[in-house]
Amino acid sequence: MGANYSAAVSTAKDYYDSGDADNFYYTIWGGEDIHVGLYESGDEPIFAASRRTVTRMAERLRALGRGSRVLDIGAGYGGAARYLAGTYGCRVDALNLSEVENRRGREMNRRQGLDHLVTVVDGSFEDVPAPAESYDVVWSQDAILHSGNRTTVLREVRLGRKPGGAWVFTDPRSRTTARPGYCSRFWSASPSSFRTGIRITSAWICGASSICMPSRWRRNFTYCSAQWRRCC
């Protein structure tokens, strides 16, 4: 399976399978989520801030509930998948390329009694192993930056969603300033959106000031979230 990964995805897989990365994200970053968090204070635990990102994204979705199906692409340890399943009762496929993270994710699913709702799937978001139009929601957090071809990822997203289904994601962007509307303009003008027939319906900036990182990085960093739907 690994032989089918693109160069960029293979690089990400090697990194997230490494002992250093696993030790950092599992023991220091909180062990559930590996994405950027939204901090309300400088001394807030990483887990709490990371989970706030998940809850704010979920609150924007109307399709979550018992009977709905969610695909999380680049799911990491599966923290968001477990939150969605435990909170809304939906079924979640947690697609992720790291075998190390996936082993931990399956273990945590069993420990938290959610393995009947959350399925960890080994694979890449550039080639989603699922039938077309399977999901009410496709979800991703800070993952598609690891693809060398975002158009391929968005095509897989479009194929995987049911008609009218939602695609919600976060994505770090490098920018010195970010005013209201920046994320919408950026993603709406993205060649990937035109090539895949997906249009953006809402986008928001989570706010660089809310992210815990050295100030010399923060001023060149914008955290974008967006929700897309199919054009036709």
Side-chain angles (χ1 to χ4, degrees):
M1 187 169 61
N4 296 323
Y5 291 156
S6 68
V9 171
S10 293
T11 298
K13 183 182 188 304
D14 290 343
Y15 168 71
Y16 285 109
D17 274 342
S18 70
D20 287 344
D22 180 56
N23 183 59
F24 174 77
Y25 288 113
Y26 191 72
T27 62
I28 297 175
W29 204 260
E32 280 277 342
D33 305 303
I34 65 173
H35 53 259
V36 176
L38 299 175
Y39 290 78
E40 293 186 345
S41 66
D43 58 356
E44 188 171 26
I46 293 175
F47 173 82
S50 298
R51 185 48 48 92
R52 184 173 294 112
T53 311
V54 176
T55 59
R56 289 192 183 177
M57 289 173 65
E59 287 167 357
R60 292 176 175 268
L61 296 172
R62 291 174 293 181
L64 295 173
R66 295 186 184 277
S68 61
R69 292 193 66 196
V70 178
L71 173 66
D72 183 356
I73 59 172
Y77 294 122
R82 284 186 291 278
Y83 172 82
L84 297 174
T87 304
Y88 297 96
C90 50
R91 302 183 68 87
V92 186
D93 287 345
L95 176 69
N96 196 56
L97 53 78
S98 169
E99 296 171 11
V100 172
E101 291 176 344
N102 289 349
R103 282 196 297 270
R104 289 196 184 275
R106 291 184 181 103
E107 179 185 345
M108 286 188 279
N109 291 344
R110 288 191 295 271
R111 235 177 18 230
Q112 296 180 30
L114 291 169
D115 50 337
H116 64 298
L117 291 176
V118 180
T119 301
V120 176
V121 180
D122 297 291
S124 167
F125 45 39
E126 293 182 350
D127 186 14
V128 176
E133 299 184 353
S134 295
Y135 299 100
D136 301 285
V137 175
V138 181
W139 174 290
S140 184
Q141 291 182 268
D142 302 1
I144 58 175
L145 60 92
H146 291 300
S147 172
N149 190 338
R150 293 189 179 196
T151 299
T152 297
V153 177
L154 296 185
R155 283 186 181 135
E156 291 296 295
V157 168
R158 176 172 180 173
L159 287 171
R161 288 176 311 149
K162 295 178 181 178
W167 157 228
V168 60
F169 68 96
T170 57
D171 191 46
R173 303 299 307 169
S174 176
R175 185 169 171 82
T176 54
T177 59
R179 297 175 180 174
Y182 164 70
C183 288
S184 294
R185 291 194 301 273
F186 175 83
W187 284 108
S188 296
S190 169
S192 298
S193 65
F194 295 121
R195 293 172 190 157
T196 56
I198 298 175
R199 67 179 173 84
I200 194 167
T201 58
S202 62
W204 60 99
I205 297 174
C206 293
S209 61
S210 300
I211 299 170
C212 185
M213 60 176 62
S215 59
R216 66 182 181 277
W217 296 352
R218 184 182 300 139
R219 63 175 176 266
N220 293 317
F221 188 91
T222 296
Y223 197 45
C224 292
S225 302
Q227 184 174 342
W228 290 24
R229 293 187 183 275
R230 180 177 295 187
C231 288
C232 52

